[in-house]
Amino acid sequence: MNDIESARLVMRLVPLAGLAATEAKDIDAARLLIGASLTGEWFENAVWAGVRLQQWKDDPHYAPWSIRAIILKDTGTIVGSINCHDSPQSLEHNGQNGLMIELGYTIFTPWRRRGIATEAFTALAGFARTSGVHWIRLSVSPENAPSLGLAKKMGANKIGSQMDDIDGPEDVFLLEL
């Protein structure tokens, strides 16, 4: 699977073995498979590595949409992750039919507020567009001001709200590509 690149970043697909090591919280194996600069913050959402691992095993077409490490080009430092919740799904919106992905990301604490989320989002949106995706969906906690700001900055429109079993209340946004 090819890397997705931007000016400062590389979004590198985490291999199946890297997802398994992350789920198991095997720091040494994960560092070997994903990158030596992997910090403990990588493992805070280890449960999602297991979910994405199973999705990939169940549907090999999910592979390019799975978890990618966000890496600074100039230092090789892993500063977060970005992924899609599933393979592209059919959606009918405002009389149009097309494909939609739901995007999720995490930027590690020391690297926040540096434009990394915006740059990673933009790069993945470009990849999605060239892959035939028409919309990106975001589900954001109403208390997550930085992510709400990113949704607005990217031009996403609020289309509703939902109650997530794990994350609680979320505002739902849709961005047309």
Side-chain angles (χ1 to χ4, degrees):
M1 303 289 155
N2 295 338
D3 292 342
I4 298 172
E5 295 192 33
S6 64
R8 297 181 296 163
L9 307 172
V10 174
M11 276 70 54
R12 181 155 298 139
L13 188 66
V14 175
L16 287 170
L19 293 174
T22 299
E23 179 186 31
K25 296 186 179 182
D26 183 338
I27 294 171
D28 293 333
R31 282 189 175 140
L32 181 65
L33 292 160
I34 301 169
S37 70
L38 206 59
T39 67
E41 200 166 356
W42 177 266
F43 298 93
E44 288 180 10
N45 295 308
V47 65
W48 292 114
V51 170
R52 303 299 180 235
L53 173 66
Q54 193 58 52
Q55 283 177 278
W56 190 341
K57 286 181 177 179
D58 291 346
D59 176 13
H61 293 100
Y62 173 65
W65 308 101
S66 187
I67 297 175
R68 291 175 178 268
I70 301 173
I71 305 165
L72 292 177
K73 283 182 178 179
D74 63 347
T75 64
T77 303
I78 297 171
V79 297
S81 66
I82 192 165
N83 74 103
C84 297
H85 295 198
D86 211 336
S87 298
Q89 304 292 309
S90 294
L91 176 71
E92 189 275 321
H93 179 69
N94 289 340
Q96 297 180 24
N97 292 309
L99 295 175
M100 180 268 309
I101 56 169
E102 184 163 0
L103 186 64
Y105 58 89
T106 299
I107 305 301
F108 301 149
T109 305
W111 302 100
R112 292 180 182 159
R113 312 302 292 173
R114 297 180 186 202
I116 292 171
T118 301
E119 190 171 332
F121 184 108
T122 301
L124 195 76
F127 170 77
R129 188 179 315 106
T130 62
S131 300
V133 172
H134 297 89
W135 296 283
I136 294 178
R137 175 184 159 122
L138 300 165
S139 301
V140 181
S141 165
E143 297 177 12
N144 185 341
S147 288
L148 291 171
L150 178 61
K152 181 179 179 180
K153 179 179 185 178
M154 300 307 293
N157 296 308
K158 184 177 175 183
I159 59 168
S161 298
Q162 67 184 20
M163 181 60 72
D164 185 89
D165 292 340
I166 297 170
D167 298 325
E170 296 177 327
D171 292 333
V172 180
F173 297 87
L174 198 62
L175 171 67
E176 186 171 352
L177 299 177

